[in-house]
Amino acid sequence: MTAQSSATDPTRIAVDTGAKATGTGTVLAALGVTAFSLTFPATAWGLEGFGPWSLVAVRSSLAAVIAGACLLALRVPLPDRRHLAGLAVVAAGVVVGFPLLTTLALQTSTTAHAAVVVGLLPLTTALFSALRMGTRPSRTFWAAACAGAAAVVAFTVQQSGGALTTADLYLFAALLVCAAGYTEGGRLAGVMPGWQVTGWALVLCLPLSVPAAALALSYEPVTLTAHSVAGLLWVAVGSQFLGLVVWYRGMAAIGIPKASQLQLAQPLLTLVWSVLLLGEHLTVAAPLTAAAVLVCIAVTQRARG
C-alpha cells in the first residue's frame, strides 16, 4: 500500500479520529477533576461568610442563571420529555444532594477528611454504571480500581484518625447520590452535549434554589469577605457549571468507568489545594499515596472494558 493510499484509508482515518477523541475526552475529564478538586477548599472559604444552606442555595442559583443565559443565548430547544427523568436524577444528585451534604459535613470536618468521599467516588460510579447501563469492565480494570480506592481510603482515614462521625454519614450519603448523578449525566451526555446536561439540570432546580436562597439568607447571618465571596464564586461557576461541562463531555468521549477512575487523583489534588489555600498540614504519606494512585489510573486507562 502506498503512502497516499494509506493516508486515505478509511479504517486508518477512523482509528486516528477515535484516538484523538479519546485523548481529548481524557483531557476534558481531567480538567473537570481539577475543577472539582478545588470544591472543598472553596466551600471552606465560603463557609467563612455564609451559612451552609445559604451557600448551597446561592451557588445553585448563580450557576443556574449562568446556565440559563447560555441556553437562551444559543437558542437551545427544550430537552425531550424522555430525558427529563434522567435530568432530574442529575439535578438531585449533582446540583443539590452532593453540594448540600458535603457542605454540611465541612462544618465539622477538615477538607482532608472530606476527601474520602471523592476517593470512593470512582469505584461507586463504576458500580452504578454497571447496574444502570450494563457495562462490564475487565477484571484488571476492577482490580486496579479497587486498589486505587483502597489506597485513597487508607490515606484519608489515616489523616482523620479513622473515627466515624456525623460528618462521615453526610459524606457517605453524598457519595451515593453523586455517583447516581454522574452515571445518569454520563448517559445523557451521549445523546446531547454535556454542557446542556449540566445546564438543564441546573435550570430544573431554579424554582427551588431561588426561594431556598431567599429563605436561608433571611435566617443565616452573612459576612462578606474576600475568601467567602471567592469561595462562593468558584463553587458556583467553576465547580457547579464549568467543571461539570467539561466533565460530562470527557465522560461521554471515554466512557463512565474510565473517566471515573481519573477522580482517584482528586483527593490528592484537594490536599494540595488545602495546604496552599487553607494552610492544612500535609504528611509524608501524600507522595507515596499519589504514586500508588497514579499507577492505578494508568492501569485502568489501559484496561479494556
Side-chain angles (χ1 to χ4, degrees):
M1 181 181 293
T2 64
Q4 183 177 0
S5 61
S6 175
T8 58
D9 182 4
T11 303
R12 181 170 181 177
I13 292 175
V15 171
D16 291 342
T17 302
K20 290 179 180 178
T22 299
T24 301
T26 301
V27 171
L28 290 173
L31 287 175
V33 169
T34 303
F36 299 152
S37 71
L38 278 160
T39 300
F40 286 170
T43 300
W45 271 9
L47 286 172
E48 293 180 13
F50 294 89
W53 296 91
S54 299
L55 181 62
V56 173
V58 173
R59 72 179 270 186
S60 178
S61 299
L62 288 176
V65 169
I66 296 171
C70 292
L71 291 168
L72 284 174
L74 296 175
R75 298 181 180 180
V76 177
L78 292 173
D80 293 342
R81 182 174 297 182
R82 60 193 173 94
H83 296 320
L84 292 180
L87 288 171
V89 173
V90 176
V94 179
V95 177
V96 177
F98 186 80
L100 177 59
L101 291 167
T102 54
T103 300
L104 291 173
L106 284 171
Q107 290 185 103
T108 57
S109 173
T110 65
T111 56
H113 185 80
V116 70
V117 72
V118 287
L120 291 174
L121 190 55
L123 183 56
T124 309
T125 303
L127 287 172
F128 269 77
S129 174
L131 293 173
R132 177 67 177 86
M133 304 177 67
T135 57
R136 294 293 182 269
S138 66
R139 292 181 179 179
T140 301
F141 180 97
W142 283 117
C146 290
V152 172
V153 170
F155 176 71
T156 52
V157 168
Q158 185 272 333
Q159 291 290 296
S160 64
L164 292 178
T165 63
T166 302
D168 291 310
L169 298 179
Y170 286 135
L171 292 171
F172 286 126
L175 173 71
L176 295 176
V177 299
C178 189
Y182 277 172
T183 299
E184 201 63 24
R187 184 187 68 82
L188 289 173
V191 296
M192 68 174 72
W195 78 271
Q196 292 184 23
V197 175
T198 303
W200 288 122
L202 286 165
V203 171
L204 280 178
C205 291
L206 198 56
L208 174 65
S209 60
V210 170
L215 181 63
L217 289 171
S218 67
Y219 281 93
E220 293 179 336
V222 174
T223 304
L224 297 180
T225 65
H227 276 184
S228 64
V229 172
L232 171 62
L233 291 177
W234 179 259
V235 294
V237 181
S239 301
Q240 194 90 65
F241 183 65
L242 295 178
L244 286 174
V245 167
V246 295
W247 170 247
Y248 281 135
R249 287 193 64 182
M251 194 158 41
I254 65 177
I256 295 174
K258 286 190 176 183
S260 68
Q261 300 316 305
L262 291 174
Q263 287 184 309
L264 286 169
Q266 188 172 326
L268 285 306
L269 288 173
T270 297
L271 290 172
V272 171
W273 298 125
S274 299
V275 171
L276 296 177
L277 301 177
L278 304 177
E280 293 186 6
H281 178 67
L282 191 64
T283 67
V284 294
L288 297 178
T289 307
V293 167
L294 290 176
V295 169
C296 293
I297 291 175
V299 173
T300 56
Q301 291 298 294
R302 291 179 178 275
R304 293 184 180 273

